[in-house]
Coordinates of all heavy atoms in Angstrom, one line a residue:
V1 N -12.8 5.8 7.6 CA -13.6 6.7 6.8 C -13.4 6.3 5.3 O -12.2 6.0 4.9 CB -13.2 8.1 7.0 CG1 -14.0 9.1 6.1 CG2 -13.4 8.5 8.5
L2 N -14.4 6.3 4.5 CA -14.3 6.0 3.1 C -14.8 7.2 2.3 O -15.8 7.8 2.6 CB -15.2 4.8 2.8 CG -15.5 4.5 1.3 CD1 -14.2 4.1 0.6 CD2 -16.6 3.5 1.1
T3 N -14.0 7.5 1.3 CA -14.4 8.6 0.3 C -13.9 8.1 -1.0 O -13.3 7.0 -1.2 CB -13.8 9.9 0.7 OG1 -14.4 10.9 -0.2 CG2 -12.3 10.0 0.5
H4 N -14.2 8.8 -2.1 CA -13.9 8.4 -3.4 C -12.8 9.3 -4.0 O -12.6 10.5 -3.6 CB -15.1 8.5 -4.3 CG -16.1 7.5 -4.0 ND1 -17.2 7.8 -3.1 CD2 -16.2 6.2 -4.3 CE1 -17.9 6.7 -3.0 NE2 -17.4 5.7 -3.7
A5 N -12.0 8.7 -4.9 CA -10.8 9.4 -5.5 C -11.2 10.2 -6.7 O -10.3 10.7 -7.4 CB -9.8 8.4 -5.8
W6 N -12.4 10.4 -7.0 CA -12.8 11.1 -8.2 C -12.4 12.5 -8.2 O -12.6 13.2 -7.2 CB -14.3 11.0 -8.5 CG -14.8 9.6 -8.5 CD1 -14.2 8.6 -9.2 CD2 -16.0 9.1 -7.9 NE1 -15.0 7.4 -9.0 CE2 -16.0 7.7 -8.2 CE3 -17.0 9.6 -7.1 CZ2 -17.1 6.9 -7.8 CZ3 -18.0 8.8 -6.7 CH2 -18.0 7.5 -7.0
S7 N -11.9 13.0 -9.3 CA -11.5 14.4 -9.4 C -12.6 15.3 -9.7 O -13.6 14.8 -10.3 CB -10.4 14.6 -10.4 OG -9.2 14.0 -10.0
G8 N -12.6 16.6 -9.4 CA -13.6 17.5 -9.8 C -14.8 17.6 -8.9 O -15.8 18.3 -9.3
D9 N -14.8 16.9 -7.8 CA -15.9 16.9 -6.9 C -15.5 17.7 -5.7 O -14.4 17.6 -5.2 CB -16.3 15.5 -6.5 CG -17.6 15.4 -5.7 OD1 -17.6 16.0 -4.6 OD2 -18.5 14.8 -6.2
V10 N -16.4 18.5 -5.1 CA -16.0 19.4 -4.0 C -15.9 18.6 -2.7 O -15.3 19.1 -1.8 CB -17.0 20.5 -3.8 CG1 -17.0 21.5 -5.0 CG2 -18.4 20.0 -3.5
Y11 N -16.5 17.4 -2.6 CA -16.4 16.6 -1.4 C -15.5 15.4 -1.4 O -15.2 14.8 -0.4 CB -17.9 16.1 -1.1 CG -18.8 17.2 -0.9 CD1 -19.8 17.5 -1.8 CD2 -18.7 18.1 0.2 CE1 -20.7 18.6 -1.6 CE2 -19.6 19.1 0.4 CZ -20.5 19.4 -0.5 OH -21.4 20.4 -0.3
C12 N -15.1 15.0 -2.6 CA -14.1 13.9 -2.7 C -13.1 14.1 -3.8 O -13.3 15.0 -4.6 CB -14.9 12.5 -2.9 SG -15.9 12.5 -4.3
G13 N -12.1 13.4 -3.8 CA -11.0 13.6 -4.7 C -9.7 14.0 -4.0 O -9.8 14.2 -2.8
P14 N -8.6 14.1 -4.7 CA -7.4 14.4 -4.0 C -7.3 15.7 -3.2 O -6.8 15.6 -2.0 CB -6.4 14.4 -5.2 CG -7.0 13.6 -6.2 CD -8.5 13.8 -6.1
E15 N -7.8 16.8 -3.7 CA -7.6 18.0 -2.9 C -8.5 18.1 -1.6 O -8.0 18.4 -0.6 CB -7.8 19.2 -3.8 CG -6.6 19.5 -4.7 CD -5.3 19.5 -3.9 OE1 -5.2 20.2 -2.9 OE2 -4.4 18.8 -4.4
P16 N -9.8 17.7 -1.7 CA -10.6 17.7 -0.5 C -10.0 16.7 0.5 O -10.0 17.0 1.7 CB -12.0 17.3 -1.0 CG -12.0 17.7 -2.4 CD -10.6 17.5 -2.9
V17 N -9.5 15.6 0.1 CA -9.0 14.6 1.0 C -7.7 15.1 1.6 O -7.4 15.0 2.8 CB -8.7 13.2 0.3 CG1 -7.8 12.3 1.1 CG2 -10.1 12.6 0.0
R18 N -6.9 15.8 0.9 CA -5.6 16.4 1.4 C -6.0 17.4 2.5 O -5.3 17.4 3.5 CB -4.8 17.0 0.3 CG -3.5 17.6 0.7 CD -2.7 18.2 -0.4 NE -2.0 17.2 -1.1 CZ -2.1 16.9 -2.4 NH1 -2.9 17.5 -3.2 NH2 -1.4 15.9 -2.9
R19 N -7.0 18.2 2.3 CA -7.4 19.2 3.3 C -7.9 18.5 4.6 O -7.5 18.9 5.7 CB -8.5 20.1 2.8 CG -8.0 21.1 1.8 CD -9.0 22.2 1.5 NE -10.3 21.6 1.0 CZ -10.6 21.5 -0.3 NH1 -9.7 21.8 -1.2 NH2 -11.8 21.0 -0.6
V20 N -8.6 17.4 4.5 CA -9.1 16.7 5.6 C -7.9 16.0 6.4 O -7.8 16.1 7.6 CB -10.2 15.6 5.2 CG1 -10.4 14.6 6.4 CG2 -11.4 16.3 4.8
M21 N -7.0 15.4 5.6 CA -5.9 14.7 6.2 C -5.0 15.7 6.9 O -4.4 15.4 7.9 CB -5.1 13.9 5.2 CG -5.9 12.7 4.6 SD -6.6 11.5 5.9 CE -5.1 10.8 6.5
R22 N -4.8 16.9 6.4 CA -4.0 17.9 7.1 C -4.6 18.3 8.4 O -3.9 18.5 9.4 CB -3.8 19.1 6.2 CG -2.8 18.9 5.1 CD -2.5 20.1 4.3 NE -1.5 19.8 3.3 CZ -1.5 20.3 2.0 NH1 -2.5 21.2 1.7 NH2 -0.6 20.0 1.2
K23 N -5.9 18.5 8.4 CA -6.7 18.9 9.6 C -6.8 17.8 10.6 O -6.7 18.0 11.8 CB -8.1 19.4 9.2 CG -8.8 20.1 10.3 CD -10.0 20.7 9.8 CE -10.7 21.5 11.0 NZ -11.9 22.2 10.5
Y24 N -6.9 16.5 10.2 CA -7.1 15.4 11.0 C -6.1 14.3 10.6 O -6.5 13.2 10.1 CB -8.5 14.8 10.9 CG -9.6 15.9 11.2 CD1 -10.3 16.5 10.2 CD2 -9.9 16.2 12.5 CE1 -11.2 17.4 10.4 CE2 -10.8 17.2 12.8 CZ -11.5 17.8 11.7 OH -12.5 18.8 11.9
P25 N -4.8 14.4 10.9 CA -3.8 13.5 10.4 C -3.9 12.1 11.0 O -3.4 11.1 10.4 CB -2.5 14.1 10.8 CG -2.8 15.1 11.9 CD -4.2 15.5 11.7
E26 N -4.6 11.9 12.1 CA -4.7 10.5 12.6 C -5.9 9.7 12.1 O -6.1 8.6 12.4 CB -4.8 10.6 14.2 CG -3.5 11.1 14.8 CD -2.3 10.3 14.4 OE1 -2.4 9.1 14.5 OE2 -1.3 10.9 14.1
V27 N -6.8 10.4 11.3 CA -7.9 9.7 10.7 C -7.4 8.6 9.8 O -6.5 8.8 9.0 CB -8.8 10.7 10.0 CG1 -9.8 10.0 9.1 CG2 -9.5 11.6 11.0
R28 N -8.0 7.5 9.8 CA -7.7 6.4 8.9 C -8.7 6.5 7.7 O -9.9 6.5 8.0 CB -7.9 5.0 9.5 CG -6.7 4.5 10.1 CD -6.5 5.0 11.5 NE -5.4 4.3 12.2 CZ -4.5 4.8 13.0 NH1 -4.6 6.1 13.2 NH2 -3.6 4.2 13.6
L29 N -8.2 6.7 6.5 CA -9.1 7.0 5.4 C -8.8 6.1 4.3 O -7.7 5.8 3.9 CB -8.9 8.5 4.9 CG -10.0 9.0 4.1 CD1 -10.3 10.4 4.5 CD2 -9.6 9.0 2.6
L30 N -9.9 5.6 3.7 CA -9.8 4.7 2.5 C -10.3 5.5 1.3 O -11.4 6.0 1.3 CB -10.7 3.5 2.7 CG -10.8 2.5 1.6 CD1 -9.4 1.8 1.4 CD2 -11.8 1.4 2.0
F31 N -9.4 5.6 0.3 CA -9.6 6.3 -0.9 C -10.2 5.3 -1.9 O -9.5 4.6 -2.6 CB -8.3 6.9 -1.4 CG -8.4 8.3 -1.9 CD1 -7.2 8.9 -2.2 CD2 -9.5 9.0 -2.0 CE1 -7.1 10.2 -2.7 CE2 -9.5 10.3 -2.5 CZ -8.3 10.9 -2.8
G32 N -11.5 5.3 -2.1 CA -12.2 4.4 -3.0 C -12.0 4.6 -4.5 O -11.9 5.8 -4.9
H33 N -11.9 3.6 -5.2 CA -11.7 3.6 -6.7 C -10.5 4.4 -7.1 O -10.5 5.1 -8.1 CB -12.9 4.2 -7.4 CG -14.2 3.6 -7.0 ND1 -14.6 2.3 -7.3 CD2 -15.2 4.1 -6.2 CE1 -15.7 2.0 -6.8 NE2 -16.2 3.1 -6.1
A34 N -9.4 4.3 -6.4 CA -8.2 5.1 -6.6 C -7.3 4.7 -7.7 O -6.4 5.5 -8.1 CB -7.4 5.1 -5.3
L35 N -7.6 3.6 -8.3 CA -6.7 3.2 -9.4 C -7.2 3.5 -10.8 O -6.7 3.0 -11.8 CB -6.5 1.6 -9.4 CG -5.2 1.3 -8.6 CD1 -5.3 1.7 -7.2 CD2 -4.9 -0.2 -8.7
F36 N -8.2 4.3 -10.9 CA -8.6 4.8 -12.3 C -7.5 5.5 -12.9 O -6.8 6.4 -12.2 CB -9.9 5.7 -12.2 CG -11.2 5.0 -12.0 CD1 -11.8 4.9 -10.8 CD2 -11.8 4.4 -13.2 CE1 -13.0 4.2 -10.7 CE2 -12.9 3.7 -13.0 CZ -13.5 3.6 -11.8
P37 N -7.1 5.3 -14.1 CA -6.0 5.9 -14.7 C -6.0 7.4 -14.7 O -4.9 8.0 -14.6 CB -6.0 5.4 -16.2 CG -6.8 4.2 -16.1 CD -7.8 4.3 -15.0
T38 N -7.2 8.0 -14.7 CA -7.2 9.5 -14.7 C -7.0 10.1 -13.3 O -6.7 11.3 -13.3 CB -8.6 10.0 -15.2 OG1 -9.6 9.4 -14.4 CG2 -8.8 9.6 -16.6
T39 N -7.1 9.3 -12.2 CA -6.9 9.9 -10.9 C -5.8 9.2 -10.1 O -5.5 9.7 -9.0 CB -8.2 9.8 -10.1 OG1 -8.6 8.4 -10.0 CG2 -9.3 10.6 -10.7
F40 N -5.2 8.1 -10.6 CA -4.3 7.4 -9.7 C -3.1 8.2 -9.3 O -2.7 8.2 -8.1 CB -3.8 6.1 -10.4 CG -2.7 5.5 -9.6 CD1 -3.0 4.8 -8.4 CD2 -1.4 5.6 -9.9 CE1 -2.0 4.3 -7.6 CE2 -0.4 5.0 -9.2 CZ -0.7 4.4 -8.0
E41 N -2.4 8.9 -10.2 CA -1.2 9.7 -9.8 C -1.5 10.7 -8.7 O -0.7 10.9 -7.8 CB -0.5 10.3 -11.0 CG 0.0 9.3 -12.0 CD 1.0 8.3 -11.4 OE1 1.7 8.6 -10.5 OE2 1.0 7.1 -11.9
E42 N -2.7 11.4 -8.8 CA -3.0 12.3 -7.8 C -3.3 11.6 -6.5 O -2.9 12.1 -5.4 CB -4.3 13.1 -8.2 CG -4.1 14.0 -9.4 CD -5.4 14.7 -9.8 OE1 -6.2 14.0 -10.5 OE2 -5.7 15.8 -9.4
A43 N -4.1 10.5 -6.5 CA -4.4 9.8 -5.3 C -3.1 9.2 -4.7 O -3.0 9.3 -3.4 CB -5.4 8.6 -5.6
A44 N -2.2 8.7 -5.4 CA -0.9 8.2 -4.9 C -0.1 9.3 -4.3 O 0.5 9.1 -3.2 CB -0.2 7.5 -6.0
A45 N -0.1 10.5 -4.9 CA 0.6 11.6 -4.3 C 0.1 12.0 -2.9 O 0.9 12.2 -2.0 CB 0.6 12.8 -5.2
V46 N -1.2 12.0 -2.7 CA -1.8 12.2 -1.4 C -1.5 11.1 -0.5 O -1.1 11.3 0.7 CB -3.3 12.5 -1.5 CG1 -3.9 12.7 -0.2 CG2 -3.6 13.6 -2.4
A47 N -1.5 9.9 -0.9 CA -1.2 8.7 -0.1 C 0.2 8.7 0.4 O 0.5 8.4 1.5 CB -1.5 7.4 -0.8
R48 N 1.1 9.2 -0.4 CA 2.5 9.3 0.0 C 2.7 10.4 1.1 O 3.6 10.3 1.9 CB 3.4 9.6 -1.2 CG 3.7 8.4 -2.1 CD 4.8 8.7 -3.1 NE 4.4 9.7 -4.1 CZ 3.7 9.5 -5.2 NH1 3.4 8.2 -5.6 NH2 3.4 10.4 -6.1
E49 N 1.8 11.4 1.1 CA 1.9 12.4 2.2 C 1.4 12.0 3.5 O 1.9 12.5 4.5 CB 1.1 13.6 1.7 CG 1.7 14.4 0.6 CD 0.8 15.6 0.3 OE1 0.4 16.4 1.2 OE2 0.4 15.8 -0.9
F50 N 0.4 11.1 3.5 CA -0.3 10.7 4.8 C -0.3 9.2 5.0 O -0.9 8.5 4.2 CB -1.7 11.2 4.7 CG -1.8 12.7 4.5 CD1 -2.0 13.2 3.2 CD2 -1.5 13.6 5.5 CE1 -2.1 14.6 3.0 CE2 -1.6 15.0 5.3 CZ -1.8 15.5 4.0
E51 N 0.3 8.8 6.1 CA 0.5 7.3 6.3 C -0.8 6.6 6.6 O -0.9 5.4 6.5 CB 1.5 7.1 7.5 CG 1.0 7.6 8.8 CD 2.0 7.4 9.9 OE1 2.3 6.2 10.2 OE2 2.5 8.3 10.5
H52 N -1.9 7.4 7.0 CA -3.1 6.7 7.3 C -4.1 6.7 6.2 O -5.3 6.6 6.4 CB -3.7 7.4 8.6 CG -2.9 7.2 9.8 ND1 -2.5 8.2 10.5 CD2 -2.5 6.1 10.4 CE1 -1.8 7.8 11.5 NE2 -1.7 6.5 11.5
L53 N -3.6 6.9 5.0 CA -4.5 6.9 3.8 C -4.2 5.7 3.0 O -3.0 5.4 2.6 CB -4.2 8.2 3.0 CG -5.0 8.3 1.7 CD1 -6.5 8.4 2.0 CD2 -4.6 9.6 1.0
W54 N -5.2 4.9 2.7 CA -5.0 3.6 1.9 C -5.8 3.8 0.6 O -6.8 4.5 0.5 CB -5.5 2.4 2.6 CG -4.7 2.0 3.8 CD1 -3.6 1.2 3.8 CD2 -4.9 2.5 5.2 NE1 -3.1 1.1 5.1 CE2 -3.9 1.9 5.9 CE3 -5.8 3.3 5.8 CZ2 -3.7 2.1 7.3 CZ3 -5.7 3.5 7.2 CH2 -4.6 2.9 7.9
L55 N -5.3 3.1 -0.5 CA -5.9 3.2 -1.8 C -6.7 1.9 -2.0 O -6.2 0.8 -1.9 CB -4.9 3.4 -2.9 CG -4.0 4.6 -2.8 CD1 -3.2 4.7 -4.0 CD2 -4.9 5.9 -2.6
D56 N -8.0 2.1 -2.4 CA -8.9 1.0 -2.7 C -8.8 0.7 -4.2 O -8.8 1.7 -5.0 CB -10.3 1.3 -2.3 CG -11.3 0.4 -2.9 OD1 -11.4 -0.8 -2.5 OD2 -12.1 0.9 -3.8
V57 N -8.8 -0.6 -4.6 CA -8.6 -0.9 -6.0 C -9.9 -1.4 -6.7 O -9.9 -1.9 -7.8 CB -7.5 -1.9 -6.3 CG1 -6.2 -1.4 -5.8 CG2 -7.8 -3.2 -5.6
T58 N -11.0 -1.1 -6.1 CA -12.3 -1.5 -6.6 C -12.5 -0.9 -8.0 O -12.1 0.3 -8.3 CB -13.5 -1.0 -5.8 OG1 -13.3 -1.5 -4.5 CG2 -14.8 -1.4 -6.3
S59 N -12.9 -1.7 -9.0 CA -13.2 -1.2 -10.4 C -11.9 -0.9 -11.1 O -11.8 -0.1 -12.0 CB -14.1 0.0 -10.5 OG -15.3 -0.3 -9.9
S60 N -10.8 -1.6 -10.7 CA -9.5 -1.3 -11.4 C -9.3 -2.2 -12.6 O -8.2 -2.2 -13.2 CB -8.4 -1.6 -10.4 OG -8.3 -2.9 -10.0
N61 N -10.3 -3.0 -13.0 CA -10.1 -3.9 -14.1 C -10.0 -3.2 -15.5 O -9.7 -3.9 -16.5 CB -11.3 -4.9 -14.2 CG -12.6 -4.2 -14.4 OD1 -12.8 -3.0 -14.2 ND2 -13.6 -5.0 -14.7
Q62 N -10.2 -1.9 -15.6 CA -10.2 -1.3 -16.9 C -8.8 -0.9 -17.3 O -8.6 -0.4 -18.4 CB -11.1 -0.1 -16.9 CG -10.7 1.1 -16.1 CD -11.0 1.0 -14.7 OE1 -11.3 0.0 -14.1 NE2 -11.0 2.2 -14.0
C63 N -7.8 -1.0 -16.5 CA -6.4 -0.6 -16.9 C -5.4 -1.7 -16.6 O -5.2 -2.0 -15.4 CB -6.1 0.7 -16.2 SG -4.6 1.4 -16.9
Y64 N -4.9 -2.3 -17.6 CA -3.9 -3.3 -17.4 C -2.7 -2.9 -16.5 O -2.1 -1.9 -16.7 CB -3.4 -3.8 -18.8 CG -2.4 -4.9 -18.8 CD1 -2.9 -6.2 -18.5 CD2 -1.1 -4.7 -19.2 CE1 -2.0 -7.2 -18.5 CE2 -0.2 -5.7 -19.2 CZ -0.7 -7.0 -18.9 OH 0.2 -8.1 -18.9
R65 N -2.4 -3.7 -15.6 CA -1.2 -3.6 -14.7 C -1.3 -2.4 -13.7 O -0.2 -2.0 -13.2 CB 0.1 -3.6 -15.5 CG 0.2 -4.9 -16.4 CD 1.6 -4.9 -17.0 NE 2.6 -5.0 -16.0 CZ 3.3 -6.1 -15.7 NH1 3.1 -7.2 -16.4 NH2 4.3 -6.1 -14.8
M66 N -2.4 -1.9 -13.5 CA -2.5 -0.7 -12.5 C -2.2 -1.2 -11.1 O -1.7 -0.4 -10.3 CB -3.9 -0.1 -12.6 CG -4.0 1.0 -13.7 SD -2.8 2.3 -13.7 CE -3.3 3.2 -12.2
I67 N -2.7 -2.4 -10.7 CA -2.4 -2.9 -9.4 C -0.9 -3.0 -9.1 O -0.4 -2.5 -8.1 CB -3.2 -4.2 -9.0 CG1 -4.7 -3.9 -9.0 CG2 -2.7 -4.7 -7.7 CD1 -5.5 -5.1 -8.8
E68 N -0.2 -3.6 -10.1 CA 1.3 -3.7 -10.0 C 1.9 -2.3 -9.9 O 2.8 -2.1 -9.1 CB 1.9 -4.4 -11.2 CG 1.5 -5.9 -11.2 CD 0.2 -6.2 -11.9 OE1 -0.6 -5.3 -12.2 OE2 0.0 -7.4 -12.2
H69 N 1.4 -1.4 -10.7 CA 1.9 0.0 -10.6 C 1.7 0.6 -9.3 O 2.5 1.3 -8.7 CB 1.3 0.8 -11.7 CG 1.7 2.3 -11.8 ND1 3.0 2.6 -11.9 CD2 1.0 3.4 -11.7 CE1 3.1 4.0 -11.9 NE2 1.9 4.4 -11.7
A70 N 0.5 0.4 -8.7 CA 0.1 1.0 -7.4 C 1.0 0.4 -6.3 O 1.5 1.2 -5.4 CB -1.3 0.7 -7.1
V71 N 1.3 -0.9 -6.3 CA 2.1 -1.5 -5.3 C 3.5 -1.0 -5.4 O 4.2 -0.7 -4.4 CB 2.1 -3.1 -5.5 CG1 3.2 -3.7 -4.7 CG2 0.7 -3.6 -5.1
A72 N 4.0 -0.8 -6.7 CA 5.4 -0.3 -6.9 C 5.5 1.2 -6.4 O 6.5 1.7 -5.9 CB 5.8 -0.4 -8.3
T73 N 4.4 1.9 -6.5 CA 4.3 3.4 -6.2 C 4.2 3.6 -4.7 O 4.9 4.5 -4.1 CB 3.2 4.1 -6.9 OG1 3.4 3.8 -8.3 CG2 3.2 5.5 -6.7
I74 N 3.3 3.0 -4.0 CA 3.1 3.3 -2.6 C 3.2 2.1 -1.7 O 3.2 2.2 -0.5 CB 1.7 3.9 -2.3 CG1 0.6 3.0 -2.6 CG2 1.6 5.2 -3.1 CD1 -0.7 3.5 -2.0
G75 N 3.4 0.9 -2.2 CA 3.6 -0.3 -1.4 C 2.3 -1.2 -1.2 O 1.2 -0.6 -1.1
A76 N 2.5 -2.5 -1.1 CA 1.4 -3.4 -1.0 C 0.6 -3.2 0.3 O -0.6 -3.4 0.3 CB 1.8 -4.8 -1.1
H77 N 1.3 -2.7 1.3 CA 0.6 -2.5 2.6 C -0.4 -1.3 2.6 O -1.1 -1.2 3.6 CB 1.7 -2.3 3.7 CG 2.5 -1.1 3.5 ND1 3.4 -0.9 2.5 CD2 2.5 0.1 4.3 CE1 4.0 0.3 2.6 NE2 3.4 0.9 3.7
R78 N -0.4 -0.6 1.5 CA -1.3 0.6 1.5 C -2.4 0.4 0.4 O -3.2 1.3 0.1 CB -0.5 1.8 1.1 CG 0.6 2.2 2.0 CD 0.2 2.8 3.3 NE -0.4 4.1 3.1 CZ 0.2 5.2 2.9 NH1 1.5 5.3 2.8 NH2 -0.5 6.3 2.7
I79 N -2.5 -0.8 -0.1 CA -3.5 -1.2 -1.2 C -4.6 -2.1 -0.5 O -4.3 -3.1 0.1 CB -2.9 -1.9 -2.3 CG1 -1.7 -1.1 -2.9 CG2 -3.9 -2.2 -3.4 CD1 -2.1 0.2 -3.5
V80 N -5.8 -1.7 -0.8 CA -7.0 -2.5 -0.2 C -7.8 -3.0 -1.4 O -8.1 -2.2 -2.3 CB -7.8 -1.7 0.7 CG1 -9.0 -2.5 1.2 CG2 -7.0 -1.2 1.9
Y81 N -8.1 -4.3 -1.4 CA -8.9 -4.9 -2.5 C -10.4 -4.8 -2.2 O -10.7 -5.2 -1.1 CB -8.5 -6.3 -2.8 CG -9.3 -7.0 -3.8 CD1 -9.1 -6.7 -5.2 CD2 -10.4 -7.8 -3.5 CE1 -9.9 -7.3 -6.1 CE2 -11.2 -8.4 -4.4 CZ -10.9 -8.1 -5.8 OH -11.7 -8.7 -6.7
G82 N -11.2 -4.3 -3.1 CA -12.6 -4.3 -2.9 C -13.2 -4.9 -4.2 O -12.6 -4.8 -5.3
S83 N -14.4 -5.4 -4.1 CA -15.1 -5.9 -5.3 C -16.4 -5.4 -5.5 O -16.9 -4.7 -4.6 CB -15.2 -7.5 -5.2 OG -15.9 -7.8 -4.1

């Protein structure tokens, strides 16, 4: 399943995803555009809670060293590259 990491949306973002993951913990979910500086810490916090949640780094070119930061925060095995 793919959703977006944008905050402030009723259907996507950290809190709606957290609710879905609590209800369906076995769902494999890809959190798109999760490395935006304004949403990464929230997205990473949710990813640390649920082992079946991966962070997508599409459009991460606007912030220097965010991929390295994401790998250090949740591990390379939880990062997915998209273009």
Side-chain angles (χ1 to χ4, degrees):
V1 176
L2 169 66
T3 190
H4 292 94
W6 303 319
S7 291
D9 189 295
V10 296
Y11 299 109
C12 57
E15 285 310 310
V17 165
R18 183 177 275 122
R19 286 192 304 269
V20 168
M21 295 303 293
R22 283 183 181 145
K23 189 170 182 175
Y24 305 101
E26 296 302 315
V27 165
R28 269 84 170 141
L29 197 137
L30 180 61
F31 221 175
H33 309 293
L35 266 63
F36 279 100
T38 57
T39 57
F40 173 73
E41 295 304 328
E42 292 176 280
V46 178
R48 283 190 294 270
E49 287 180 53
F50 303 100
E51 65 178 300
H52 295 124
L53 180 63
W54 291 273
L55 301 184
D56 165 71
V57 300
T58 302
S59 299
S60 63
N61 62 343
Q62 73 276 19
C63 189
Y64 182 68
R65 301 187 65 105
M66 277 303 291
I67 293 175
E68 291 89 345
H69 178 59
V71 168
T73 302
I74 66 163
H77 65 290
R78 303 283 297 282
I79 304 297
V80 177
Y81 176 79
S83 62

